[in-house]
Amino acid sequence: VKDVIRVYWFLGLIAFGGPTAHVGIFQDHLVRVHQWLKEDLFLELFALAQGLPGPSSSQLIISTAATHGGVLGGSIAFLMWNLPGFVVLTAASLFLYDIIDPSNPPIWLLGVPPAAVALIFKAFYGFALKLDTLGAALAMGTSAVSVLINHDENIPSNSSQFVYPVLLFGGGLLTFLDTYRSKPIGTYSKLPGLDDGPVEQTAFDRKLGYKIGMEIHHGIFMFLFWLVLLVGSITLIGRGYDNKYLEIFEIFYRTGSLVFGGGVVIVPMLQNEVVPKWMTEDQFFQGLGLAQSLPGPFFNFASFLGGTYAGLPGAIVANLGLMGPGFILIFAMLPFWSKARHYSWFQAIIRGLNASAVGLIGGGCIFLYTKSVSDVADAI
């Protein structure tokens, strides 16, 4: 645990630029400087985080720390990573609009939303460069669908919460099936396949499992815990249980459970939930820009939204709600990953999930650009 604190304590203060930049910073810091883990292990955990709902950067922080410090080490690393941005965005939600008029914000704040969109374009470009032929086709397809459902007047605006997971799992299924073609379209590592029988764990894998400190039954318990919270909160709201903080938790927990591929994808989903009920569209995009400009996870944006609506308790509940699914599920998956990481079918599914997630980010670039860039000054 002391080693986790020594290596991770300041990452939440220096990691600017969104998920793409975070991965580069983590790779330099953990693989090259501190030699915390090998590069192939780092890239596997990165792919695993991309294929799970939740904040991919935070899940990468948790999983890399857990390879040395287990559940406690991963939790401590997450807290240090999350806290700086949470404090700043919560303070902004409580005091920013006591200082400025949200209907007539200062010039410097007007430039924040276009700058945020530029960072999203940068993230999309960085991810797209790493795709193979099949991955590029999947990304273009999911991007086109995401643009369609956010701009067609005949399609409900909240349909993304159902369509996005289908697109992501469809991408994973296609890459899985592609591995069984005589001439696959995609590019895959040569690892033991599904029909090759069980893979004997190496001494390194056994040591890794010991450090993580979780068995398959622990992973199943964590998954069931995530599911109970999701179904329970949705059921209570559906039955008309009237509580402001339960409403906040349900919206953010449901969103965090459905969002794959990084923080950018949550923007249209949250916008549909909170605008104009909780705040104006201008306030939403001002908070978005602030979240993009701070170090740490973009999911801290939840603190601004919840705090603007319901003060400090709202900020805490919203942050727990949006971060919770990713936090729980990365721990749920770690024992399965340590057992399945040598199978080609597992690696292929991860590649398909990644490609579809990149497409959703590309779609987000398009419809967020139209909402935040209105003149030449914004474009510049």
Side-chain angles (χ1 to χ4, degrees), residues 125-188:
Y125 178 75
F127 282 127
L129 288 177
K130 301 174 183 177
L131 298 176
D132 59 21
T133 302
L134 180 58
L138 287 172
M140 288 188 288
T142 54
S143 181
V145 173
S146 68
V147 172
L148 176 65
I149 65 175
N150 281 278
H151 282 83
D152 193 312
E153 296 179 354
N154 298 317
I155 299 177
S157 59
N158 64 347
S159 62
S160 60
Q161 62 184 296
F162 307 107
V163 175
Y164 285 2
V166 171
L167 292 172
L168 288 159
F169 285 116
L173 177 61
L174 285 175
T175 50
F176 170 74
L177 295 175
D178 186 52
T179 60
Y180 289 91
R181 289 167 48 91
S182 58
K183 295 182 178 180
I185 302 172
T187 304
Y188 307 98

Side-chain angles (χ1 to χ4, degrees), residues 27 31-32 37-45:
Q27 191 172 27
V31 176
R32 294 165 187 158
L37 71 172
K38 294 182 179 180
E39 187 165 27
D40 60 340
L41 202 65
F42 177 87
L43 293 175
E44 286 183 30
L45 291 171

Side-chain angles (χ1 to χ4, degrees), residues 167-213:
L167 292 172
L168 288 159
F169 285 116
L173 177 61
L174 285 175
T175 50
F176 170 74
L177 295 175
D178 186 52
T179 60
Y180 289 91
R181 289 167 48 91
S182 58
K183 295 182 178 180
I185 302 172
T187 304
Y188 307 98
S189 301
K190 292 183 178 180
L191 296 171
L194 183 63
D195 301 324
D196 292 337
V199 178
E200 183 178 353
Q201 285 193 313
T202 64
F204 173 79
D205 289 329
R206 289 192 292 271
K207 185 177 180 181
L208 178 64
Y210 175 77
K211 287 183 177 180
I212 293 174

Side-chain angles (χ1 to χ4, degrees), residues 7 10-34 42 57 60-61 81 122 295-296:
V7 172
F10 64 94
L11 284 175
L13 300 171
I14 64 168
F16 290 85
T20 304
H22 292 166
V23 173
I25 293 170
F26 298 165
Q27 191 172 27
D28 287 339
H29 185 72
L30 299 175
V31 176
R32 294 165 187 158
V33 176
H34 289 280
F42 177 87
S57 297
L60 187 56
I61 283 282
W81 164 246
K122 180 179 180 294

Side-chain angles (χ1 to χ4, degrees), residues 245-257:
Y245 301 112
L246 177 61
E247 175 195 9
I248 294 172
F249 181 82
E250 188 274 332
I251 287 173
F252 285 94
Y253 194 84
R254 170 167 45 83
T255 301
S257 297

Side-chain angles (χ1 to χ4, degrees), residues 34-109:
H34 289 280
Q35 298 181 347
W36 185 255
L37 71 172
K38 294 182 179 180
E39 187 165 27
D40 60 340
L41 202 65
F42 177 87
L43 293 175
E44 286 183 30
L45 291 171
F46 169 65
L48 182 67
Q50 287 291 313
L52 290 174
S56 56
S57 297
S58 299
Q59 290 169 319
L60 187 56
I61 283 282
I62 293 168
S63 58
T64 54
T67 60
H68 283 250
V71 175
L72 180 60
S75 301
I76 291 173
F78 169 75
L79 181 63
M80 293 186 294
W81 164 246
N82 187 55
L83 195 58
F86 168 78
V87 170
V88 173
L89 282 164
T90 299
S93 72
L94 298 177
F95 305 116
L96 180 64
Y97 296 115
D98 291 335
I99 302 171
I100 68 169
D101 179 3
S103 63
N104 186 29
I107 293 176
W108 63 267
L109 198 54

